[in-house]
Amino acid sequence: MQKHPEKLLVGELSFAWLLLALAGGVAMLAYRIAGFSGISSPGAFPLGISAILLLSATSAPSPACR
């Protein structure tokens, strides 16, 4: 059985990079709004969510670049 390489859809790579840029912006805004003084501080939740968004955004371009 022969494997065929997946082709990228039009705009897929640029959408992945846009998602990464927006995730970085959300992380920066979450840090500016809340800061981080401790794990139980009110600012920990937005920073945690933005970290999850950044991790998922960094995994998005890697399969597209293969």
Side-chain angles (χ1 to χ4, degrees):
M1 189 190 267
Q2 187 177 12
K3 289 185 178 180
H4 298 286
E6 290 185 28
K7 291 186 178 182
L8 293 176
L9 297 175
V10 175
E12 186 177 359
L13 188 60
S14 58
F15 178 75
W17 285 109
L18 178 67
L19 181 65
L20 183 63
L22 291 175
V26 167
M28 202 167 60
L29 285 175
Y31 183 75
R32 282 185 188 173
I33 290 170
F36 187 72
S37 58
I39 195 72
S40 62
S41 67
F45 185 75
L47 285 173
I49 295 301
S50 64
I52 291 170
L53 181 62
L54 259 173
L55 287 174
S56 64
T58 49
S59 66
S62 58
C65 292
R66 290 182 191 168

